[in-house]
Amino acid sequence: MIPRAVLALACLAVAATGLAAPRPGTVGPPGKAAVDTCLDCHRSLDETRLSQPAEQAATDIHRLQGITCAGCHGGDPRAEDPEAAMNPALGFVGAIAPTAVPALCSSCHSDPSFMLRYAPNIPTDQAAQYATSRHGLALAKGDTRVATCTSCHGAHGVLPADDARSPVYPSRIVATCGRCHADAALMRAYGISGNEVADYQQSVHYAALTQKNDLSAPTCNDCHGSHGATPPGVSSVSNVCGTCHLTQRELFDLSPHKEAFASIEQPACETCHGNHAVHTPDDTWIGVGKDQVCGNCHVADDPGGQVAAQLAARLTGANSAIAATRERVARAERAGMLMDEALVQLEEAHQALVLARNQVHAAALAPLARETGSVLAAAAKADRLAQAAEDEIRFRRTGLAVSLVVILLAAVALLLKTRSLER
Amino acid sequence: MAANETEATVGRRTFINWLLGTSLGATLAAALYPMLRFVIPPEVGESPTNRVLAGKLSELPPNTGRVFRFGAKPGILLRTPSGEVRAFSAICTHLNCTVQYRPDFQHLWCACHNGHYDLQGKNIAGPPPRPLEAFKVDVVGDDIFVTKGA
């Protein structure tokens, strides 16, 4: 059954535009830029609102693929006479109402056989998804402040989503969503704080995206969806985070926290990590003290608080061992020693520490203690190698001192010998 | 007096000759010892090079992999199910853990955060943000040489 909202949206759009599919003659063959008279006139108009679309069309993917202005606005793209070009009898509608935009775009983008000719690699279910989104549902109720297709993709200078200049390119999405979602006054009407964008911009995900250029780092649409944008519910947060953080999710699902969180309607991951302002996790978070996440539910004396204290102690010990050994190995390296084997051991210790940190999600001491034991063992090996290197350095320095003394003595002896021969 | 002076002179010369001989000998030894240590291979591992003997073809059946070392850094040598030999850096691009070959997945996998890489080293699932660095492989007889940065 087609949802009522989708039907309402479609009816609203069709009534507003009268457009269902591009009329013959308004769409050219793919791969050949459209030539139409609309652009010739509009470029020379004084009113920016009328000339700007024609200028933006220069790089528009639709125009470059043969879609004329009339493909969306109706009219005759070949007529020289403005009246004939903008003839309502030929479907000319001028500016498209926001409520009509999804249906207009989907008249092509939801038609698989049409899209196959132009862009066979992009999906054709965007309109169906949009209709289920918060944006689509609100638009169906007549709320024209919500985002439609053009709000994110642009109207006249539309670029492919994989073009780095596109407003829906991963590194630009937060700014695109932020045009509305960072507006606290606008968001208040929807019960949204408006801080989400600022929070996200402090997150490790945003840093990965913008500083490391890691395009796989999640931005708004990766958790909320693109066309079907909606906030993930309490039960689906772990699924969203678990898309990338699979191991942590699996361990969490086996932990006593899964059921406990569900019983008090707390979302899995964000209870400890936050949602938009997800910071790089730190071992100091574990515990029941001030600013420590376990203290949200546990106290020092309860079993959970005691386990947290032990987890924290093990991790602190492992961290300290690695830090001290790394410093010792670095000192030996600075002294000119080749410390490859010790560095390999330190890498092993680091890897075991990463695995130990994963085990925090299981909230059990034994598996974490096993991994921290591996950390300590590898760090101890590296430490012994660093000790051997330090011994070697001492031996070499002692040898150098002895050599210098001997050389000095040789010089003195030579001097004395020279004098004795001169006599 | 003259005899005493002669004896003292002879004693001093003997001492100077002894001092000269032993100190020159020791100086020579101090110069030769590092040379000898240089000629005889040291006990510590070799310094990082751009080309290493990573393994033997006969010890790497199809659908297996093994980790080898480029100095202090791990690399991974794998043989695809179809028999092709490939090599990559074994350092996961997420948090620097060492990746391994999983015969059941038939691709590379990182145990730390369940990151997956295909047989081209491309990150295909999990948190790794980038592909693994690919190395050049030369098979000479039974020896597999891997070259970095080629």
Side-chain angles (χ1 to χ4, degrees):
Chain A
M1 181 185 275
I2 301 172
R4 194 177 296 168
V6 178
L7 280 175
L9 191 63
C11 292
L12 195 64
V14 171
T17 65
L19 291 171
R23 287 184 309 102
T26 62
V27 174
K32 191 176 175 186
V35 177
D36 61 39
T37 54
C38 312
L39 297 174
D40 298 337
C41 286
H42 273 261
R43 278 195 201 103
S44 58
L45 294 175
D46 291 334
E47 254 187 281
T48 306
R49 73 179 181 88
L50 297 174
S51 62
Q52 195 177 49
E55 286 161 9
Q56 290 174 333
T59 56
D60 185 276
I61 184 63
H62 298 115
R63 190 189 74 80
L64 295 173
Q65 284 288 329
I67 316 292
T68 67
C69 304
C72 297
H73 293 280
D76 183 355
R78 286 163 298 190
E80 297 285 343
D81 174 33
E83 297 233 343
M86 296 185 284
N87 184 357
L90 294 175
F92 179 75
V93 292
I96 314 292
T99 48
V101 168
L104 174 61
C105 298
S106 70
S107 65
C108 293
H109 279 270
S110 297
D111 182 346
S113 57
F114 181 88
M115 292 306 296
L116 203 60
R117 295 168 57 204
Y118 292 88
N121 58 341
I122 63 173
T124 52
D125 62 346
Q126 299 97 327
Q129 287 194 29
Y130 177 78
T132 66
S133 73
R134 287 287 172 93
H135 298 137
L137 292 169
L139 189 74
K141 290 177 184 168
D143 184 349
T144 56
R145 293 175 299 175
V146 296
T148 66
C149 315
T150 53
S151 311
C152 300
H153 292 275
H156 298 103
V158 177
L159 295 165
D162 59 1
D163 187 314
R165 298 168 298 169
S166 166
V168 293
Y169 192 69
S171 57
R172 291 176 179 267
I173 280 181
V174 67
T176 301
C177 299
R179 288 209 306 270
C180 296
H181 281 270
D183 183 343
L186 175 63
M187 288 297 108
R188 200 172 299 124
Y190 300 97
I192 298 171
S193 75
N195 296 331
E196 292 78 9
V197 171
D199 285 348
Y200 171 75
Q201 286 173 328
Q202 297 172 18
S203 73
V204 64
H205 295 139
Y206 183 71
L209 187 65
T210 56
Q211 293 168 22
K212 297 182 182 172
N213 199 29
D214 176 4
L215 297 183
S216 67
T219 181
C220 313
N221 64 317
D222 290 295
C223 298
H224 294 278
S226 300
H227 301 99
T230 192
V234 166
S235 60
S236 58
V237 166
S238 73
N239 291 341
V240 171
C241 305
T243 307
C244 293
H245 301 285
L246 305 168
T247 304
Q248 291 89 334
R249 177 192 168 188
E250 285 172 7
L251 289 168
F252 178 85
D253 285 351
L254 296 171
S255 78
H257 284 146
K258 183 179 171 64
E259 209 170 300
F261 281 22
S263 69
I264 55 172
E265 296 192 340
Q266 284 292 308
C269 312
E270 71 175 88
T271 298
C272 297
H273 291 276
N275 49 15
H276 298 103
V278 177
H279 296 294
T280 305
D282 193 288
D283 296 336
T284 58
W285 290 6
I286 304 162
V288 295
K290 189 173 178 288
D291 296 330
Q292 290 181 311
V293 294
C294 310
N296 293 338
C297 299
H298 294 286
V299 293
D301 294 337
D302 72 25
Q306 288 169 359
V307 169
Q310 292 183 63
L311 295 177
R314 301 269 179 174
L315 286 172
T316 304
N319 269 315
S320 304
I322 288 180
T325 308
R326 200 179 290 285
E327 175 56 31
R328 197 171 187 185
V329 170
R331 267 202 311 272
E333 273 197 308
R334 283 197 296 274
M337 300 301 291
L338 194 61
M339 299 302 295
D340 283 0
E341 189 55 42
L343 290 172
V344 168
Q345 292 300 329
L346 276 174
E347 283 304 315
E348 282 193 18
H350 162 78
Q351 180 155 332
L353 181 61
V354 171
L355 292 170
R357 285 173 176 151
N358 284 347
Q359 294 295 343
V360 171
H361 297 90
L365 185 61
L368 185 136
R370 190 175 59 242
E371 299 297 349
T372 52
S374 300
V375 173
L376 298 177
K381 277 186 194 169
D383 196 68
R384 282 196 293 277
L385 290 165
Q387 173 69 54
E390 285 172 359
D391 292 345
E392 176 72 13
I393 292 166
R394 265 192 295 277
F395 172 74
R396 289 182 189 187
R397 285 180 179 167
T398 307
L400 178 66
V402 170
S403 297
L404 287 174
V405 169
V406 167
I407 290 166
L408 192 66
L409 284 176
V412 170
L414 270 173
L415 187 68
L416 294 174
K417 181 73 179 173
T418 310
R419 280 188 183 170
S420 71
L421 289 174
E422 283 171 352
R423 285 180 189 168
Chain B
M1 283 294 283
N4 286 346
E5 277 181 15
T6 308
E7 275 177 24
T9 306
V10 170
R12 195 167 59 240
R13 280 183 183 166
T14 308
F15 172 72
I16 290 170
N17 286 339
W18 174 84
L19 186 62
L20 194 60
T22 50
S23 59
L24 282 176
T27 305
L28 196 65
L32 285 176
Y33 178 72
M35 288 182 202
L36 198 67
R37 286 295 296 263
F38 182 79
V39 171
I40 298 170
E43 290 173 9
V44 290
E46 289 182 17
S47 60
T49 56
N50 282 337
R51 184 177 163 91
V52 294
L53 175 63
K56 301 278 186 189
L57 196 61
S58 55
E59 294 168 1
L60 194 70
N63 198 29
T64 59
R66 66 180 293 272
V67 173
F68 63 96
R69 278 176 52 186
F70 253 132
K73 301 292 179 187
I76 188 158
L77 192 64
L78 67 89
R79 198 157 176 199
T80 65
S82 61
E84 200 177 332
V85 180
R86 294 176 190 164
F88 303 93
S89 162
I91 302 171
C92 180
T93 56
H94 180 222
L95 286 180
N96 301 333
C97 291
T98 302
V99 302
Q100 56 188 277
Y101 186 81
R102 283 280 298 259
D104 49 343
F105 295 153
Q106 297 196 349
H107 64 228
L108 297 165
W109 176 73
C110 180
C112 283
H113 295 108
N114 211 356
H116 294 251
Y117 299 88
D118 67 12
L119 293 175
Q120 305 287 346
K122 186 183 173 195
N123 48 319
I124 51 171
R130 289 181 304 282
L132 297 169
E133 184 189 353
F135 298 150
K136 185 173 177 290
V137 173
D138 295 307
V139 179
V140 182
D142 194 38
D143 293 335
I144 304 170
F145 291 96
V146 174
T147 311
K148 197 189 284 189

